[in-house]
Amino acid sequence: MKKAIVYINQFFAGIGGEDKADHKPEIREGAIGGAAAIQAALKGIEVTHTVICGDNFMGSYREDAIAIISEMLEGKEFDVFFAGPAFRAGRYGVACGEISRAVTAKFGVPVFSSMNDENPGVEMFRKEMVIFEGGKSAAAMRGDAAKVAEYASRVIAGEPVGSAAEEGYFGRGKRHMVFDAEMKPAADRAVEMLLAKIAGKPFATELPIPKTDFVPIGAPIKDLSKATIAVINTGGIVPVDNPDRIQSASATRWGRYDMTGMERLKGGEFKTIHAGFDPMMADNNPNVILPLDALRQMEKEGKIGKLHEFFYSTVGTGTTQKEAARMASEMVPPIQEANVDGVLLVST
Amino acid sequence: MKLELGHFHVKEVTFGDFTRFENGVLTINKEEALAVVREDEHITEADLVIARPGEEKRIVPVKEAVEPRCRVNSKFDNYFPGVTGSDLYQVGEGRSHALKGCSVLAVGKHWGSFGDGLIDMSGEGAQWSYYSQLINVCLVADTDEEFERHEQQKKNHALRWAAHRLAEYLGRCVKDAEPEEVQTFDLPAVTKREQAVNELPSVVYVIQTMTQMEEEGYNDLAYGWDLNKSIPTYMHPNEVLDGSLIGGSFMPTSSKWATYDYQNCPTIKALYEQHGKTINFLGVITSNLNVALVQKERSALFVAQMAKSLGADSAIVAEQGYGNPDADFTACIVALEDAGVKTVGMTNECTGRDGRSQSLVSMDPKSDAIVSCGNVSELIDLPPMKEVIGELAALSRDGMSGGWEGDEILGPSVREDGSIIMENNAMFCGDQVMGWAQKTVREY
C-alpha cells in the first residue's frame, strides 16, 4: 500500500470560513474533511495524514507556512501529495499550487490538484503540475476528487495514462509523440479535417497555435515637453519594507509609491524584491531599473512636462499574462485620474 | 492521365539462380543483382541482406528506400527518367508493375551521414518506422567517394543511385507477368471533367520538397532536376506516384521523404479515393524549401497563385523537414488562406526532449487545421538486436541527426551492449508526413 498526504484549507477541514482564514498550519492523522473524498477514490494508496492551513496564512506568510509544513512532513513516508480540490476559490487554489511546488521540490514526490478554470492558481501552476479541471464549488467535490485520485492511482501504479485532453487536466505545455495502432493514418485524418473545414463543420487541429495577444502601439505624444509621464516597472522596486507584500515571483499584487521631491531612488530606502535576477546592483542603485534620476533630468531639461508623482511596481517573473492584465487594469484608473499623457513601462 | 499500377505481393524474398517472382516469392540472383550495383565504379564493396518484419535486425545507416518497379508496354525501360538510364520522358501514364510489400534500402556498410536513419525490424522500435513492416532488400555497400567520407553531409550518390538501379532490376522480373491486382489512377485534365465533379469542392495537394542545399547532389529531384533551382510547379499526381520524384540526402531522416514515399504517397491515394465523391482533386503543386526568406516568400506566392488560377477551394500542404522549413510551411498556409483557399497542413513538430519547446519555428493563427505526425526530438531507448545490418557505430560517430557520441546525462547513443538511445530524428523516414503516420503529438 502506497501512502499519500493531502493538503486542504481551514474551510474544508471544518474549522471555519473567512474568520478562520488565518489558521496556522497543522497536521492530523488520516483523511480529514475534504481529504476523505480523495481517499474514497484512491486505489492502492492510503491517505496517512492531512495538512490543514488557513488560506490567508498561506497567502500572507507563504514562506513561513511552507517552512512549517515542510517540517511537519519531514521524516514522514509518502509517495504522492494532493492539494485541494480548490474549485473556484482563488486564494485556496494559489495556496494549493504554492505548497505543491514546495513539496515536490523538497520531497521529490508527484503532486496533484484540481481547480476550476477560472481559478488563478490554474494559470500560475498548470505548467509545473497536474491540475484537473474541476467544478465551480464544493458541490463538485466527489467528482473532482475522484478524477484526480483515480488518475494519480494509475500514475503511482505505473499504469498507462493518456494526454491532458484525454484525462481532463490542464495541459502542462509538454507535447509528446504518441503511436496508436488504432489511429487512422495521417492522410485520412488530413482529408477528414479538410472536408470538415470546407463544409464549415467543427474540426480539431492536432497542433493548436497558441493565441498571441497583440497590443497595438499607441499614437505618438504630440508635445512631449508638455506631457505628464508616469513610470511602471515589473522589476520589483519597492520601499525596503515592501508594504504591499508584492510576491518575488508569480506576482498577483502591485503597489504605487510616492516619489515627490526625490531626485533619485536611494539604496537602503528602496530595493528590488524580484527573484529572477541578482539583486545586488538594483539594491545599491534602484535607478538602474526605475530610472528616476534620468527622468528628473529630462524634466529639468524640459524634454518632458512633468513626472507623475507615483511610480507603480510589480514583479514580472513567473507572473501570468492573465494576472498581469488584471493588475494593469487596476493601475489604469488612478493614472487616468492624474491626467497622465504617457506611461513608460520599464522592465529588468 | 491514366496510370495502371499492377501489384505483385511479395511474401518472401530469397536468393537463388534466377531473379524471378513466383507464388509470392521474390528470388534474387545475387551476383546478377550486384553486377547492376557495380555498374557504378565508385561502388567498392557491396552485398545484399534480407530483413523481414519480426526479425531481430537493426538496419543503420539507411540512406534511401525504393519500391521495385518497371514499365510495361512502354518504349522506355528506365523507370526513373532523368535519374536512371538516359531517356527523359513523361511518366504517370500507361502501365507500371510494382513489387509490393518490399523495398530496396541503400545502407552504408560503414559510414553514415546527417540524413541517414535507423530501422528496427521488431520490438518497440518497429512502431516508429513504416519500413519495419516491409521486407527490405538491404544493399549494404561502401564507395570510394573520399571527398565526403568524413563529412557530416553526404550526397551518398553512388549508394542511392545503386538502389534506384537495383529497384529497377528487381522490378523488371514482373514486366511480362500478370499482376494479382491492378490499381487505376485516372484523373482527367482539369477542364475536361464531368459537371458533377466540377461542382464538388476542389482540392490541390501541395508538397514542399527538400531543397535546402545550394550545392547540387543533396536535394530532392523532379525528373532529375534539382528543385532548389525551381519555382513551385504543377504536377499530375500520377507523376509523383510513378517515379518522377527522387528523395534527397540532407534532411534529418524522420522528416525525410524517401523515393519509396513519393511512389506510394498515401495522401495522394486518399485524395483519389474521395475524388468524384466528396471532392474534385485538381492535382499536385510541387513546391520547395529553400533557405533564404525571399525564396520562401516567392514560393508561397507561386503556390497561392497557382491554387487560385486552378480555382482551388481548398488545399493540403505537406512539409518535409522542420526548423527552417517551418517558415515555408506557415508562409504557404497563410498565403493560401489569404487567397481564400481553405487549407490543412501536415507536418511534424520539434518540441524538445522535455516536450516544452515551441512546436514550429514559425506559427500563425491562420494555420488552424494541422495534422501532426511526430516529435523529432522525442527520446527513443531501444534494447540490442541480434543482428545489425550496416554499422551500428555510425549512429554515434558520423553526425547522424538524432544520434550523438556522448551526452553528460544520457551517455553515448550506442552503448556497449548494442542497446541505443536516440532522438526520433534518427528514425528512418519515421514521421511519415506523406500520410502513413499512425502517430501524433499530444499535450501532457
Side-chain angles (χ1 to χ4, degrees):
Chain A
M1 187 67 98
K2 301 279 186 179
K3 292 173 180 164
I5 294 178
V6 181
Y7 173 95
I8 56 172
N9 71 359
Q10 84 286 348
F11 179 77
F12 287 100
I15 291 167
E18 196 57 37
D19 54 322
K20 300 288 183 190
D22 287 325
H23 190 80
K24 286 184 182 158
E26 59 164 315
I27 187 163
R28 298 190 202 167
E29 281 189 14
I32 306 302
I38 286 181
Q39 177 65 81
L42 284 172
K43 289 194 184 74
I45 303 172
E46 186 194 359
V47 177
T48 60
H49 297 83
T50 305
V51 174
I52 301 155
C53 179
D55 285 337
N56 284 351
F57 191 87
M58 178 61 85
S60 304
Y61 310 103
R62 184 183 59 173
E63 280 164 29
D64 290 347
I66 288 170
I68 295 166
I69 294 168
S70 295
E71 205 180 309
M72 288 170 176
L73 299 181
E74 198 73 58
K76 297 214 167 30
E77 276 180 38
F78 62 113
D79 306 285
V80 54
F81 186 83
F82 295 92
F87 315 105
R88 200 176 271 181
R91 279 172 303 163
Y92 187 22
V94 173
C96 287
E98 294 284 7
I99 193 62
S100 296
R101 173 190 280 164
V103 166
T104 196
K106 189 168 165 66
F107 300 97
V109 298
V111 292
F112 302 93
S113 187
S114 166
M115 302 178 199
N116 183 262
D117 65 347
E118 299 226 337
N119 194 315
V122 172
E123 283 310 309
M124 288 171 70
F125 297 99
R126 63 182 289 177
K127 287 278 163 71
E128 50 192 293
M129 63 183 293
V130 169
I131 303 172
F132 271 80
E133 184 166 2
K136 293 177 193 170
S137 69
M141 173 63 94
R142 194 191 292 184
D144 287 3
K147 273 202 286 184
V148 65
E150 192 270 335
Y151 175 80
S153 298
R154 277 187 287 135
V155 171
I156 297 301
E159 288 168 17
V161 289
S163 65
E166 289 164 320
E167 297 286 356
Y169 63 85
F170 296 102
R172 288 170 291 173
K174 289 157 65 101
R175 290 180 61 79
H176 285 292
M177 183 161 72
V178 186
F179 170 81
D180 181 354
E182 304 298 314
M183 193 186 299
K184 282 183 183 169
D188 296 344
R189 278 146 47 207
V191 171
E192 278 177 19
M193 201 182 285
L194 189 72
L195 291 174
K197 190 167 176 176
I198 292 169
K201 289 182 186 158
F203 58 88
T205 183
E206 295 177 9
L207 171 48
I209 305 296
K211 284 201 179 70
T212 318
D213 195 6
F214 288 108
V215 178
I217 294 170
I221 293 171
K222 280 185 187 135
D223 187 355
L224 205 54
S225 70
K226 294 198 173 68
T228 301
I229 301 298
V231 57
I232 300 177
N233 86 99
T234 59
I237 299 296
V238 294
V240 285
D241 60 347
N242 187 15
D244 294 297
R245 298 202 312 272
I246 298 171
Q247 302 94 329
S248 298
S250 304
T252 58
R253 286 199 283 268
W254 60 278
R256 65 171 195 162
Y257 308 105
D258 195 343
M259 49 189 178
T260 308
M262 293 180 196
E263 284 304 301
R264 58 196 322 277
L265 298 178
K266 289 182 190 152
E269 289 178 22
F270 294 92
K271 66 170 186 179
T272 178
I273 43 121
H274 191 292
F277 58 87
D278 184 338
M280 192 185 72
M281 294 281 282
D283 285 347
N284 287 338
N285 178 13
N287 302 278
V288 298
I289 288 177
L290 195 124
L292 178 59
D293 51 356
L295 289 165
R296 286 287 184 231
Q297 185 67 29
M298 292 171 93
E299 215 177 10
K300 266 182 209 147
E301 290 169 5
K303 283 185 179 165
I304 58 171
K306 74 177 178 81
L307 199 58
H308 174 49
E309 68 256 46
F310 292 98
F311 75 86
Y312 294 69
S313 200
T314 186
V315 161
T317 188
T319 300
T320 64
Q321 210 172 328
K322 201 171 166 182
E323 288 299 308
R326 178 188 55 76
M327 289 191 276
S329 67
E330 290 168 4
M331 290 175 189
V332 167
I335 289 174
Q336 275 178 330
E337 277 165 30
N339 292 317
V340 169
D341 299 297
V343 175
L344 194 60
L345 179 62
V346 295
S347 181
T348 47
Chain B
M1 203 181 286
K2 183 177 169 184
L3 171 70
E4 288 181 323
L5 194 62
H7 286 192
F8 296 81
H9 296 286
V10 177
K11 302 283 189 306
E12 171 64 305
V13 179
T14 181
F15 297 111
D17 292 339
F18 301 98
T19 296
R20 65 176 190 276
F21 179 81
E22 223 171 53
N23 301 324
V25 180
L26 173 65
T27 306
I28 303 172
N29 176 331
K30 199 193 251 193
E31 280 317 301
E32 201 175 272
L34 288 174
V36 171
V37 168
R38 290 204 185 91
E39 282 170 14
D40 182 348
E41 60 190 14
H42 293 290
I43 299 283
T44 53
E45 288 179 87
D47 193 13
L48 299 182
V49 183
I50 312 300
R52 300 167 185 86
E55 291 181 339
E56 290 186 51
K57 291 178 179 172
R58 174 164 291 155
I59 318 169
V60 62
V62 184
K63 298 165 189 295
E64 167 70 308
V66 195
E67 186 171 77
R69 295 265 181 103
C70 68
R71 301 214 177 271
V72 181
N73 300 326
S74 167
K75 60 178 172 175
F76 303 108
D77 194 41
N78 57 329
Y79 185 78
F80 300 103
V83 174
T84 56
S86 51
D87 290 321
L88 187 62
Y89 59 96
Q90 186 213 296
V91 301
E93 208 153 19
R95 181 136 179 188
S96 296
H97 281 175
L99 291 168
K100 303 304 288 186
C102 70
S103 85
V104 171
L105 299 182
V107 184
K109 186 175 170 68
H110 301 294
W111 305 101
S113 63
F114 186 66
D116 298 355
L118 177 142
I119 300 167
D120 270 7
M121 296 307 293
S122 62
E124 191 204 320
Q127 72 189 17
W128 300 120
S129 177
Y130 182 80
Y131 294 89
S132 305
Q133 55 191 292
L134 301 178
I135 303 178
N136 292 304
V137 179
C138 305
L139 165 62
V140 186
D142 201 7
T143 77
D144 67 357
E145 292 158 311
E146 295 302 329
F147 73 98
E148 64 176 14
R149 171 83 69 212
H150 301 292
E151 294 293 327
Q152 184 173 19
Q153 297 290 358
K154 292 185 176 68
K155 297 180 183 182
N156 291 306
H157 180 91
L159 256 159
R160 293 194 293 134
W161 263 244
H164 304 144
R165 287 196 305 280
L166 183 56
E168 273 183 354
Y169 165 79
L170 295 175
R172 279 189 197 112
C173 78
V174 290
K175 203 176 179 80
D176 302 319
E178 198 52 44
E180 296 157 54
E181 162 196 4
V182 176
Q183 268 192 7
T184 304
F185 300 95
D186 188 4
L187 197 64
V190 174
T191 59
K192 305 282 189 261
R193 298 182 181 177
E194 290 167 22
Q195 182 68 19
V197 175
N198 283 330
E199 282 168 5
L200 294 168
S202 54
V203 185
V204 286
Y205 178 43
V206 182
I207 48 174
Q208 299 186 303
T209 60
M210 201 296 293
T211 60
Q212 286 192 286
M213 296 295 271
E214 293 302 321
E215 190 181 329
E216 287 194 13
Y218 301 93
N219 294 328
D220 287 10
L221 305 174
Y223 291 95
W225 183 254
D226 187 329
L227 287 161
N228 174 287
K229 313 286 190 289
S230 75
I231 49 175
T233 192
Y234 176 78
M235 289 178 80
H236 194 285
N238 290 1
E239 294 180 279
V240 179
L241 298 175
D242 197 30
S244 68
L245 296 181
I246 297 292
S249 182
F250 163 72
M251 194 53 77
T253 193
S254 79
S255 304
K256 182 157 86 177
W257 302 342
T259 300
Y260 185 101
D261 294 318
Y262 285 123
Q263 291 173 291
N264 291 281
C265 178
T267 304
I268 288 181
K269 291 183 182 174
L271 289 167
Y272 253 115
E273 180 64 33
Q274 292 300 320
H275 177 71
K277 295 179 194 161
T278 59
I279 58 163
N280 177 12
F281 182 20
L282 294 174
V284 175
I285 297 173
T286 300
S287 187
N288 51 14
L289 296 168
N290 287 17
V291 287
L293 186 59
V294 65
Q295 295 173 309
K296 296 176 189 298
E297 287 170 348
R298 186 181 297 116
S299 289
L301 288 174
F302 265 88
V303 169
Q305 174 275 122
M306 246 181 278
K308 270 195 294 188
S309 300
L310 287 165
D313 300 312
S314 65
I316 292 178
V317 177
E319 175 196 4
Q320 184 176 180
Y322 72 97
N324 180 291
D326 294 341
D328 303 78
F329 178 64
T330 298
C332 189
I333 292 174
V334 169
L336 285 164
E337 288 284 343
D338 285 348
V341 181
K342 289 178 175 158
T343 305
V344 168
M346 299 178 76
T347 186
N348 56 6
E349 303 180 35
C350 177
T351 68
R353 292 174 187 174
D354 65 357
R356 289 199 188 271
S357 294
Q358 182 174 307
S359 298
L360 305 175
V361 166
S362 160
M363 296 171 115
D364 191 287
K366 284 177 182 159
S367 51
D368 63 355
I370 293 179
V371 171
S372 176
C373 299
N375 169 26
V376 298
S377 35
E378 203 74 39
L379 279 176
I380 298 176
D381 195 335
L382 297 169
M385 283 279 161
K386 270 186 189 156
E387 184 183 337
V388 172
I389 299 173
E391 188 163 304
L392 190 56
L395 178 64
S396 271
R397 185 192 59 208
D398 298 342
M400 280 174 61
S401 58
W404 54 84
E405 227 164 348
D407 181 283
E408 284 165 0
I409 299 157
L410 301 169
S413 268
V414 179
R415 305 186 185 108
E416 274 182 24
D417 66 352
S419 65
I420 56 171
I421 182 163
M422 59 178 225
E423 286 184 353
N424 174 44
N425 258 319
M427 191 56 74
F428 184 71
C429 295
D431 288 331
Q432 307 162 45
V433 172
M434 291 250 91
W436 278 298
Q438 288 179 292
K439 308 192 303 161
T440 190
V441 180
R442 292 193 181 130
E443 187 181 1
Y444 286 85

